[in-house]
């Protein structure tokens, strides 16, 4: 009987739309949250930057995206704009591609910032489109959508060892392929999304339930801690392994790819579980299970580090899709705002953390920063205990 109910829920998904949105998400995050941290060593050598300036590049990308996403989300909850979906993806991919031709550091920061704004416009609309296409399986649909983003982040780490180290920043010219693919995917689903917004506008305005502001605030804090840990590893793991163990940047980026790839698998499985068990519990278990692997990571390298990175990435990111659906449960009247807070502001705050930790690295050393990053899942686990259990409402229903 349980299997039958799951099949009925899954049958309500418009799979073509969800997978197209997932592919668009992959392209967006490939050239923003994926490539930008991976490009840090290349930007550093090209523009002769220190750790703080290098982290500032990541900050501009994540900060513009994180601030704009909840703003776009709140605005489009009242005034939906279907055209923001293709326009946002176009700006995020195009401007990142153009950084390969930036004449100086100031122009680089401007292009990175515009790319972040494009990502900020894309995410709330894409997440709402995923919900509209999800039927009764919101967790599964968000899992597919978020796996696209996480896969893009992971693949971004491979760009350096595959061709950017050999070709330099001008190798970003190849990302015009991502621009074209993004226009193709979003153009394909744009008519459906425009019509769906029109037909569902009244239902979205009259959604049942009250917004739980306190719980949302706590959830966003936990997402920020998770983001600091994730982005901190993506940015500083290559530097840390280079300094501590003499590992090449290309090999260290491959390790980061494995960490994020394991996280993509965890995101999918966690999203599937969100349709079957309380989302608060999934978030709590995700943080708790990641703690022992986080604490061991700074002391291991080589094959032992891989053994730690795989389960660490799996567990720490297994709540990624869950937190989006959970926030939409806590903010039933503001679905796009919920997406903007969890995918945008929460995750984008990782860029702010990366800048802070970059400055701290210059001041007290990279080792201290890496140890701090490893304790963030502990704090996230503690805070997760205080979130409301959505399983009670599920049981009552």
């Amino acid at each position: 009987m349980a299997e039958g109910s799951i099949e009925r829920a899954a049958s309500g998904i418009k799979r073509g739309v969800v997978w197209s949105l997932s592919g668009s998400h992959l392209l967006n995050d490939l050239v923003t949250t994926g490539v930008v941290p991976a490009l840090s060593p290349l930007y550093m050598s090209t523009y002769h930057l220190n750790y703080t300036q290098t982290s500032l590049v990541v900050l501009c990308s994540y900060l513009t995206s994180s601030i704009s996403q909840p703003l776009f989300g709140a605005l489009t909850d009242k005034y939906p704009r279907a055209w923001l979906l293709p326009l946002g993806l176009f700006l995020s991919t195009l401007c990142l591609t153009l950084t390969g031709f930036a004449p100086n550091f100031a122009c680089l920061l401007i292009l990175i910032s515009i790319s972040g704004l494009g990502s900020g416009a894309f995410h709330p609309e894409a997440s709402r489109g995923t919900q509209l296409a999800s039927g009764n399986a919101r967790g599964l649909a968000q899992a597919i959508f978020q796996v696209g983003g996480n896969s893009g982040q992971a693949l971004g780490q491979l760009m350096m060892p595959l061709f950017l180290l050999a070709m330099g920043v001008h190798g970003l010219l190849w990302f015009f392929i991502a621009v074209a693919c993004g226009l193709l995917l979003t153009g394909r689903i744009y008519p459906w999304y425009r019509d769906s917004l029109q037909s569902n506008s009244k239902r979205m305005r009259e959604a049942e339930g009250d917004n739980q502001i306190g719980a949302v605030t706590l959830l966003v804090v936990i997402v920020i801690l998770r983001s600091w840990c994730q982005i901190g590893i993506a940015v500083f793991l290559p530097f840390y392994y280079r300094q501590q163990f003499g590992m090449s940047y290309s090999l260290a980026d491959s390790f980061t790819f494995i960490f994020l790839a394991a996280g993509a698998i965890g995101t999918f499985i966690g999203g599937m579980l969100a349709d079957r068990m309380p989302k608060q519990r999934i978030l709590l278990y995700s943080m708790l299970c990641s703690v022992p692997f986080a604490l061991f990571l700074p002391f291991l390298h080589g094959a032992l580090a891989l053994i730690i990175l795989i389960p660490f990435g799996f567990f720490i990111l297994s709540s990624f899709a869950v937190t989006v659906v959970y926030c939409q449960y806590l903010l039933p009247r503001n679905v796009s705002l919920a997406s903007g807070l969890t995918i945008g502001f929460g995750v984008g705050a990782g860029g702010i953390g990366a800048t802070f930790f970059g400055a701290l690295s210059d001041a007290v050393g990279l080792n201290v920063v890496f140890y701090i990053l490893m304790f963030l899942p502990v704090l996230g686990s503690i805070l997760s205990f205080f979130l409301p259990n959505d399983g009670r409402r599920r049981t009552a229903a």
Side-chain angles (χ1 to χ4, degrees), residues 117-369:
L117 287 174
S119 180
F122 166 80
H123 275 101
E125 292 302 319
S127 184
R128 176 163 44 199
T130 301
Q131 189 202 41
L132 291 174
S134 66
N136 296 320
R138 292 187 179 182
L140 177 60
Q142 279 293 338
I144 295 172
F145 175 66
Q146 297 300 341
V147 163
N150 286 1
S151 298
Q153 293 178 41
L155 290 171
Q157 304 301 317
L158 293 182
M159 297 298 103
M160 284 288 286
L162 283 180
F163 69 92
L164 287 177
L165 282 178
M167 300 181 67
V169 291
H170 295 302
L172 289 170
L173 174 67
W174 288 98
F175 280 81
F176 276 113
I177 297 174
V179 179
C181 290
L183 288 174
L184 180 65
L185 285 172
T186 53
R188 175 178 176 269
I189 61 175
Y190 173 76
W192 169 86
Y193 184 49
R194 178 197 58 210
D195 295 342
S196 294
L197 285 179
Q198 293 174 354
S199 61
N200 288 278
S201 59
K202 183 178 180 180
R203 179 178 63 84
M204 290 186 294
R205 287 195 302 268
E206 298 175 354
E208 296 182 359
D210 296 323
N211 291 341
Q212 302 181 50
I213 305 301
V216 169
T217 302
L218 181 58
L219 177 62
V220 170
V221 171
I222 296 169
V223 172
I224 288 173
L225 293 174
R226 184 187 64 192
S227 176
W228 282 356
C229 184
Q230 174 196 353
I231 302 303
I233 290 177
V235 173
F236 295 107
L237 185 68
F239 297 124
Y240 181 80
Y241 277 171
R242 176 79 170 183
Q243 175 180 300
Q244 289 294 105
F245 309 116
M247 185 180 294
S248 67
Y249 284 134
S250 60
L251 182 58
D253 280 330
S254 298
F255 276 38
T256 306
F257 163 77
I258 292 172
F259 167 77
L260 294 174
I265 297 173
T267 295
F268 184 75
I269 293 177
M272 292 180 63
L273 292 175
D275 291 321
R276 313 183 196 184
M277 60 184 293
K279 291 170 277 296
Q280 182 265 347
R281 294 301 181 194
I282 298 175
L283 174 58
L284 174 61
Y285 299 150
S286 166
M287 300 300 291
L288 282 174
C289 290
S290 66
V291 168
F293 302 107
L295 296 181
F296 277 110
L297 183 60
F299 309 102
L300 302 174
H301 63 100
L304 291 176
L306 279 181
I307 294 174
I308 293 293
L309 279 169
I310 292 173
F312 183 25
F314 178 89
F315 285 119
I316 195 68
L317 292 179
S318 61
S319 62
F320 202 98
V322 176
T323 50
V324 179
V325 182
Y326 186 37
C327 195
Q328 290 174 346
Y329 160 81
L330 297 173
L331 285 176
R333 298 181 181 276
N334 299 92
V335 172
S336 288
L337 176 59
S339 169
L341 288 172
T342 50
I343 305 177
F345 181 77
V347 176
I352 303 173
T355 302
F356 169 75
F357 289 126
L360 196 60
S361 296
D362 289 328
V364 300
L366 190 57
N367 289 3
V368 174
V369 168

Side-chain angles (χ1 to χ4, degrees), residues 14-15 60 62 66 68 132-133 137 164 190 224 248 371:
K14 297 184 183 299
R15 294 182 181 274
C60 286
Y62 283 85
S66 66
S68 64
L132 291 174
L164 287 177
Y190 173 76
I224 288 173
S248 67
Y371 297 151

